[in-house]
Amino acid sequence: MAEPNFVLLYVDSPPVSAAFYTELLGRPPVESSPTFAMFILSSGGKLGLWSKQTVEPAATVTGGGGELAFAVADADTVRAMHTDWRGRGLTILQAPADMDFGHTFVAIDPDGHRLRVYAPSAS
């Protein structure tokens, strides 16, 4: 059975978004053009940034309709990443907080895509 391993985000400007994610992920895209950029993640998954003006079929929903989630080891790492991302100028939608699933915060990228960092609750 095939499983998803590639997330595509529809963005206004792939070069601008690629620069943002290069800084955030600490790695350059493996592919980059005016309409598309792609990152290979250390997990083996892929992150694609596709121009919302050229995606086929046309997208009816863009930024904010879902989240990219970043699992980290513990609450201290969540707080450290929050401080780092806030210092980089990312807009923070939710400050670090305890929720049912763990300690978390939420930021957004330049296109309004939600970026959730979380440390899962101990089971």
Side-chain angles (χ1 to χ4, degrees):
M1 171 75 57
E3 294 183 353
N5 65 354
F6 195 166
V7 174
L8 291 164
L9 300 178
Y10 306 134
V11 300
D12 188 51
S13 171
V16 169
S17 292
F20 173 85
Y21 280 99
T22 294
E23 178 72 21
L24 193 70
L25 299 172
R27 70 181 70 220
V30 297
E31 181 179 334
S32 185
S33 75
T35 62
F36 183 77
M38 182 174 68
F39 293 84
I40 304 293
L41 307 174
S42 59
S43 66
K46 299 176 186 99
L47 173 62
L49 307 169
W50 197 347
S51 168
K52 64 185 177 185
Q53 295 85 3
T54 63
V55 65
E56 293 289 336
T60 57
V61 176
T62 58
E67 297 181 346
L68 285 181
F70 298 75
V72 298
D74 53 41
D76 288 339
T77 305
V78 170
R79 288 187 290 274
M81 287 182 70
H82 172 261
T83 299
D84 177 54
W85 287 14
R86 190 181 63 220
R88 293 176 191 227
L90 274 73
T91 299
I92 305 296
L93 296 181
Q94 178 187 35
D98 289 318
M99 299 187 74
D100 290 346
F101 56 85
H103 197 66
T104 187
F105 78 91
V106 177
I108 58 171
D109 77 3
D111 290 281
H113 298 287
R114 294 165 59 118
L115 308 173
R116 180 176 299 277
V117 175
Y118 73 100
S121 297
S123 298

